[in-house]
Amino acid sequence: MIATVRALVTLVLCAGLLSCTRPPDLIGIDNGTEPVLSVSDASRQKIFIATTREATEAIGVFYSGERAPDLGLSSVVVSIPPSHQSGMIERPTRLPPDPRTEFAVIEPSVYANSDSFVAGLNAELARRAPQDRDVLLFIHGYNNTFTDSVLRIAQFVEDTNFSGVPVLFAWASAGKASHYVYDLNSALAARPQLLKTARILGSSRARGIDLFAHSMGSLVTVEALVEASVSERPYTFDRVNNVMFAAPDIDLDLFKTQLNRMQGDTGNFFVFVSRDDRALMVSRRISGGVERVGAADAAELSSLGVTVIDLSEIDDSASGTHSKFAGSPEVVQLIGSSLEKDNFDTKVKPPTLVEVLNDVPVVRVLVPD
């Protein structure tokens, strides 16, 4: 009976969240015939990484779904093909990748300690214009392999035209639809290391930091924010500009408790929701029927003091209903415009995310009173 229930849950999860068969891992795999660096018109994103995953020698994997005792620091370079379409991840279905038409990930590098990591990050920041020396810290969601999360942040950064330096916080998701509870515990166990990552980034020369968390990644992010706000002086996240939660897979009652415990202003919190999020429908069923924040009533959420961006009417997402923030060309470009910072020469600030989205008929924005 137990085996039957487990099999049924796995089937429902695979149908509702992601295909159980995923493409191969491709970290560090170049193409001998068409090397990545030979494709001159491909775009390349250097991604810095802080991870609670265990390192592995498995070809193409780099970091597994096992939990590591310490924080790992590294970087990769992601090549985005010249034919890339906004909202899409042109991921190879077999190896090696063809960098002319597919994403590829090369140059995996491990940093010996936080000092060398920060030095690399500072060098990358120095290559930017002063107004672009910002960091985007991206926290991935449930059922992600390391390759999944690297490709997602690269696609998101590319499509938003983010001009700062991207950093991925890769917690130890098993990358299996049937391992929801394992992922939940991995996310919670990653809280101290996310705080450590924030301190490391705070020691860099970054002008500011934006946090962007997806799905279950929102849970570890909120938990870290709560812990920092009630116990840390100085506050670890004091250099954060905006905190964005996309389709947060958090129990709504828990979220209310978290916000009540948080000391300080949450006016820079943005929550992206969608009533048709099929993944969160499944999550709700296996979590005792309690509403998930990413599919909750927008007005109720707004009353908690956060800005709510309702994407329910968006229907052009190439990544399904759970990843509209990255899979919809319209939405990803609008998020990108909000990540721009003030122009040093003209002192003219670009429109805020709320101002931009208010002009889109199919997006509803609720700002707390």
Side-chain angles (χ1 to χ4, degrees):
M1 180 65 179
I2 293 176
T4 302
V5 171
R6 286 176 177 168
L8 179 60
V9 169
T10 300
L11 178 63
V12 170
L13 285 168
C14 289
L17 300 178
L18 191 67
S19 170
C20 286
T21 302
R22 56 176 15 111
D25 294 301
L26 61 149
I27 309 298
I29 298 179
D30 206 343
N31 188 311
T33 305
E34 296 288 344
V36 166
L37 297 181
S38 71
V39 184
S40 59
D41 51 349
S43 174
R44 296 186 186 94
Q45 299 284 354
K46 184 166 185 175
I47 311 294
F48 287 84
I49 297 149
T51 184
T52 62
R53 294 175 180 270
E54 189 72 68
T56 176
E57 297 296 325
I59 295 175
V61 179
F62 199 29
Y63 290 106
S64 72
E66 299 295 322
R67 300 166 186 156
D70 301 309
L71 186 69
L73 300 170
S74 57
S75 66
V76 296
V77 173
V78 182
S79 174
I80 297 98
S83 57
H84 170 66
Q85 297 181 23
S86 181
M88 300 284 291
I89 297 178
E90 292 87 357
R91 182 171 177 171
T93 56
R94 60 182 181 180
L95 300 176
D98 184 344
R100 297 169 301 180
T101 58
E102 299 170 330
F103 277 64
V105 185
I106 60 171
E107 300 180 13
S109 302
V110 175
Y111 295 94
N113 50 51
S114 60
D115 289 340
S116 58
F117 179 84
V118 171
L121 181 63
N122 284 338
E124 202 66 25
L125 287 166
R127 294 188 180 98
R128 270 74 171 169
Q131 68 269 22
D132 295 330
R133 292 172 185 167
D134 295 284
V135 164
L136 174 66
L137 179 57
F138 185 95
I139 303 95
H140 68 78
Y142 154 70
N143 190 20
N144 270 229
T145 65
F146 183 70
T147 294
D148 294 338
S149 59
V150 166
L151 295 181
R152 176 58 77 193
I153 184 177
Q155 175 260 321
F156 182 69
V157 168
E158 178 74 10
D159 291 348
T160 56
N161 292 315
F162 177 68
S163 51
V165 178
V167 178
L168 169 66
F169 182 75
W171 52 276
S173 166
K176 297 177 181 179
S178 59
H179 284 46
Y180 185 88
V181 175
Y182 176 89
D183 275 19
L184 179 64
N185 289 324
S186 289
L188 291 172
R191 284 174 293 185
Q193 302 295 10
L194 180 54
L195 285 168
K196 182 176 180 179
T197 300
R199 295 187 199 104
I200 291 171
L201 297 179
S203 69
S204 74
R205 298 194 184 102
R207 197 166 66 107
I209 302 170
D210 287 296
L211 300 184
F212 198 104
H214 178 224
S215 187
M216 195 178 284
S218 300
L219 175 62
V220 61
T221 304
V222 178
E223 284 288 298
L225 287 165
V226 170
E227 184 173 336
S229 72
V230 300
S231 64
E232 295 196 356
R233 296 294 181 271
Y235 180 44
T236 296
F237 295 95
D238 60 355
R239 294 171 66 185
V240 169
N241 298 314
N242 297 302
V243 182
M244 303 183 189
F245 303 109
D249 187 2
I250 306 175
D251 181 305
L252 180 58
D253 294 331
L254 172 62
F255 189 60
K256 292 175 181 178
T257 301
Q258 290 168 324
L259 292 181
N260 284 334
R261 290 191 63 217
M262 199 170 296
Q263 299 178 8
D265 186 16
T266 56
N268 64 339
F269 282 24
F270 299 87
V271 181
F272 295 80
V273 303
S274 184
R275 294 187 303 275
D276 64 345
D277 190 320
R278 289 189 293 275
L280 293 183
M281 293 176 190
V282 176
S283 178
R284 176 178 178 173
R285 286 199 295 272
I286 64 176
S287 301
V290 180
E291 189 67 88
R292 316 315 286 173
V293 172
D297 179 75
E300 181 179 3
L301 283 177
S302 179
S303 70
L304 302 178
V306 300
T307 298
V308 181
I309 300 162
D310 190 348
L311 306 178
S312 297
E313 301 303 317
I314 295 289
D315 60 4
D316 64 344
S317 173
S319 300
T321 56
H322 193 51
S323 297
K324 289 184 178 182
F325 75 95
S328 167
E330 184 175 33
V331 174
V332 77
Q333 289 162 16
L334 292 171
I335 293 174
S337 68
S338 74
L339 291 173
E340 295 177 4
K341 302 299 183 285
D342 50 329
N343 185 294
F344 276 20
D345 297 325
T346 64
K347 302 299 181 183
V348 175
K349 289 183 179 292
T352 65
L353 180 61
V354 170
E355 291 169 337
V356 170
L357 291 173
N358 269 328
D359 293 330
V360 183
V362 291
V363 175
R364 190 164 64 112
V365 181
L366 288 81
V367 180
D369 296 331

